[in-house]
Amino acid sequence: MRLSRFLIIVLFCCLVVSSNLFAQSKCDTSMPSFVLTEILPETHLTFAEIEDYLNSRLVLSKYNTHSNLTPLLGFEINCHGETFNYETRSIKDTLLAEHLFYIFKNDFKWKPAYQYDKPVDFVISFSFDFSDDKIKIINRLDEMRRD
């Protein structure tokens, strides 16, 4: 049991290190990334589909999800739709954080945000509710979008 968990951790560390060798970066380093734009970044899935996908890939009962604070995952999307600079807050289980990083980086494709008809770098964050052993996204960009 310990050996298999150790091998999983080593595998994910290798994946994280190898993915950083070809790391994406900001398109415009002269200014900070946007947090609000005329056109928000979009992914190929709805947020309900992201929740379903995360719940199909991750069994929360295997992780330590207890926290008094709201779990948060954040990252940047550059003007090419590439993601980088992944961070978590209030996710105590580092293996869960690594799994979330891997899924968001490799399984979801993003269209960049636009400001003044130009693609821009954008910082995005997801707040989660891990109650009832289900992942639920609390803040939802799709609710912020205007028709």
Side-chain angles (χ1 to χ4, degrees), residues 1-2 15 21 42 52 64 77 82 100 131 133 145:
M1 178 69 174
R2 284 185 174 183
L15 290 173
L21 294 176
E42 294 180 356
D52 290 343
N64 177 9
I77 302 169
E82 301 166 330
L100 286 169
S131 61
D133 287 332
R145 297 188 196 287

Side-chain angles (χ1 to χ4, degrees), residues 70-76 83-91 94 96-98 100-102 104-105 123-128:
T70 301
L72 177 77
L73 168 73
F75 54 93
E76 291 189 59
T83 62
F84 59 101
N85 285 350
Y86 282 81
E87 294 182 4
T88 60
R89 294 224 172 31
S90 305
I91 298 179
T94 56
L96 174 58
E98 289 173 5
L100 286 169
F101 292 163
Y102 182 84
F104 271 86
K105 183 166 185 63
V123 175
I124 189 168
S125 63
F126 292 87
S127 298
F128 298 104

Side-chain angles (χ1 to χ4, degrees), residues 2-145:
R2 284 185 174 183
L3 180 61
S4 65
R5 186 172 173 115
F6 174 76
L7 290 175
I8 289 172
I9 291 171
V10 168
L11 174 65
F12 277 101
C13 289
C14 290
L15 290 173
V16 170
V17 168
S18 67
S19 68
N20 285 338
L21 294 176
F22 306 103
Q24 291 78 21
S25 62
K26 292 179 61 150
C27 294
D28 186 353
T29 57
S30 67
M31 61 186 300
S33 296
F34 285 83
V35 294
L36 187 60
T37 54
E38 294 172 326
I39 299 175
L40 296 171
E42 294 180 356
T43 185
H44 64 288
L45 298 174
T46 67
F47 282 76
E49 290 171 331
I50 291 174
E51 285 177 356
D52 290 343
Y53 187 78
L54 291 172
N55 284 307
S56 73
R57 295 283 312 271
L58 300 171
V59 179
L60 284 185
S61 60
K62 294 182 178 180
Y63 304 100
N64 177 9
T65 58
H66 301 290
S67 177
N68 294 333
L69 303 172
T70 301
L72 177 77
L73 168 73
F75 54 93
E76 291 189 59
I77 302 169
N78 70 13
C79 66
H80 304 293
E82 301 166 330
T83 62
F84 59 101
N85 285 350
Y86 282 81
E87 294 182 4
T88 60
R89 294 224 172 31
S90 305
I91 298 179
K92 294 180 181 179
D93 193 318
T94 56
L95 191 57
L96 174 58
E98 289 173 5
H99 286 158
L100 286 169
F101 292 163
Y102 182 84
I103 290 170
F104 271 86
K105 183 166 185 63
N106 295 295
D107 296 352
F108 303 138
K109 305 299 178 218
W110 291 90
K111 292 181 184 176
Y114 279 79
Q115 186 70 15
Y116 301 118
D117 296 323
K118 180 180 172 187
V120 294
D121 301 319
F122 191 89
V123 175
I124 189 168
S125 63
F126 292 87
S127 298
F128 298 104
D129 176 5
F130 290 154
S131 61
D132 301 323
D133 287 332
K134 292 285 185 192
I135 298 173
K136 187 174 196 172
I137 299 172
I138 298 172
N139 66 329
R140 300 169 62 112
L141 279 179
D142 57 346
E143 293 174 356
M144 293 172 52
R145 297 188 196 287

